[in-house]
Amino acid sequence: MKTLRFIYSNGLSDCHKTKALLVRSREGGFVTRNCLRCGKPGYVGPHHLPNLECEFCGGPLVVKLLDKNYCYICGKCDRQWELPSLLPHWTELFQYSGLLAPGDGSFT
Ligand SMILES: [Zn+2]
Ligand SMILES: [Zn+2]
């Protein structure tokens, strides 16, 4: 089962001091946090990962680094999710939401 989520990173983007969204930047599972204003990717550290709850039991998930990928792990029901598998690819994301539209408003 795969549920794509929009997950905001903790902390603001370096370039615009605005919210940043966690996305898969490449196949292979590399995760970045992309600025909502300009889409510029930034490095993701453990402190950027927000607390999430298990979708099955509602318990808090613990973040661990497994095989160079961050994993969210539920100690209660023993489930785990690789972070990249939860996230949309950034091109999908910006297509869906139209977030990356610096010229918006000038098309009328
Ligand atoms: Zn920016
Ligand atoms: Zn659980």
Side-chain angles (χ1 to χ4, degrees):
M1 189 201 70
K2 278 194 176 181
T3 318
L4 294 185
R5 306 181 182 216
F6 290 173
I7 302 176
Y8 289 108
S9 86
N10 287 339
L12 303 174
S13 70
D14 295 329
C15 48
H16 285 95
K17 306 296 173 211
T18 187
K19 281 188 170 184
L21 209 50
L22 296 173
V23 295
R24 265 187 298 131
S25 69
R26 285 182 217 157
E27 294 312 321
F30 191 70
V31 172
T32 57
R33 52 194 211 103
N34 286 27
C35 172
L36 277 191
R37 281 282 285 282
C38 66
K40 194 173 160 195
Y43 173 77
V44 174
H47 58 286
H48 290 126
L49 300 176
N51 295 324
L52 295 181
E53 291 177 352
C54 175
E55 16 182 296
F56 293 92
C57 70
L61 298 179
V62 183
V63 176
K64 279 194 183 155
L65 196 56
L66 296 178
D67 264 345
K68 291 189 223 157
N69 281 330
Y70 292 114
C71 273
Y72 277 96
I73 297 170
C74 178
K76 250 180 168 176
C77 46
D78 210 24
R79 287 184 161 95
Q80 68 178 54
W81 295 263
E82 288 193 350
L83 178 64
S85 72
L86 296 172
L87 303 174
H89 191 268
W90 79 271
T91 50
E92 293 166 17
L93 176 75
F94 286 108
Q95 243 174 29
Y96 290 149
S97 61
L99 288 171
L100 243 201
D104 247 12
S106 54
F107 291 113
T108 44

